[in-house]
């Protein structure tokens, strides 16, 4: 699997999450619910952007410089984190809802930019072998995270269902 395919797949999951947030945020009754949802999204986006920054944007840095976008893409990740952190400082329900929806909109715009510019550029500039090697590194990192998360629980399926 190529890194572009892996990251695009993650983007698809995020688009579903964005849809869910946009469809349900108005129905949430407490500021705590909104802050919890924002925190979840912030943590998921942070993990995704860290992988992009580490594995993907580095090999394309010279391309970003040529089109005058080097700092812009890295700043976008920071701005996405900051927009979700603003939700945590909200003191009113409507304010928190607006801030969360604004953060989702900002994230959607960033993802759209990556899907229209960055992924096609990577496919054009990087060799297939490089894209595949980066994809394998992504898979190894994700597998390591999942294994670490599951290991401490070490419950068998039989223990969970009581057999």
């Amino acid at each position: 699997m190529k890194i572009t395919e892996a990251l695009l797949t993650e983007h698809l999951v995020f688009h579903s999450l964005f849809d869910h947030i946009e469809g349900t945020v108005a129905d949430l009754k407490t500021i705590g619910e909104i802050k919890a949802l924002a925190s979840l999204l912030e943590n998921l986006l942070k993990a995704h952007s860290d992988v992009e920054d580490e594995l993907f944007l580095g090999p394309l840095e010279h391309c970003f410089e040529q089109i005058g976008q080097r700092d812009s893409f890295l700043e976008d990740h920071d701005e996405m984190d900051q927009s979700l952190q603003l939700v945590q400082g909200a003191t009113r329900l409507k304010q928190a809802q607006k801030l969360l929806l604004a953060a989702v909109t900002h994230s959607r715009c960033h993802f759209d930019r990556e899907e229209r510019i960055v992924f096609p550029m990577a496919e054009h500039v990087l060799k297939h072998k490089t894209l595949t090697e980066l994809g394998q590194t992504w898979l190894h990192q994700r597998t390591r995270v999942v294994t670490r998360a599951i290991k401490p629980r070490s419950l068998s399926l039989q223990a969970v269902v009581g057999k």
Side-chain angles (χ1 to χ4, degrees), residues 61-113:
E61 191 169 349
H62 67 285
C63 298
F64 293 127
E65 286 181 16
Q66 287 180 353
I67 63 172
Q69 297 291 315
R70 182 188 169 276
D71 294 334
S72 176
F73 278 100
L74 295 175
E75 289 170 359
D76 262 3
H77 287 167
D78 290 337
E79 289 172 11
M80 288 164 57
D81 291 340
Q82 291 168 4
S83 67
L84 285 162
Q85 289 170 5
L86 289 175
V87 177
Q88 301 306 324
T91 56
R92 295 182 327 272
L93 180 65
K94 293 290 181 194
Q95 175 192 28
Q97 289 169 326
K98 276 180 129 172
L99 287 169
L100 180 55
L101 289 173
V104 167
T105 298
H106 182 75
S107 297
R108 276 193 192 277
C109 289
H110 173 75
F111 277 37
D112 176 65
R113 213 167 132 207

Side-chain angles (χ1 to χ4, degrees), residues 11 15 19 21 30 39 45 52-53 58-59 65 74 85 102 110-111 114 123 136 155:
H11 277 208
H15 284 298
D19 291 345
I21 291 170
T30 70
S39 180
L45 283 170
E52 282 184 344
D53 292 348
E65 286 181 16
L74 295 175
Q85 289 170 5
H110 173 75
F111 277 37
E114 285 182 343
E123 290 284 339
Q136 288 303 308
L155 290 174

Side-chain angles (χ1 to χ4, degrees), residues 5-22:
E5 295 166 335
L7 293 174
L8 183 57
T9 300
E10 285 189 356
H11 277 208
L12 294 173
V13 173
F14 277 108
H15 284 298
S16 293
L17 182 56
F18 298 154
D19 291 345
H20 175 74
I21 291 170
E22 289 170 338

Side-chain angles (χ1 to χ4, degrees), residues 11-46:
H11 277 208
L12 294 173
V13 173
F14 277 108
H15 284 298
S16 293
L17 182 56
F18 298 154
D19 291 345
H20 175 74
I21 291 170
E22 289 170 338
T24 61
V25 73
D27 297 330
L28 299 177
K29 303 297 182 207
T30 70
I31 197 166
E33 291 173 307
I34 294 170
K35 288 182 178 186
L37 194 53
S39 180
L40 171 68
L41 181 58
E42 180 181 1
N43 285 310
L44 292 172
L45 283 170
K46 176 85 171 101

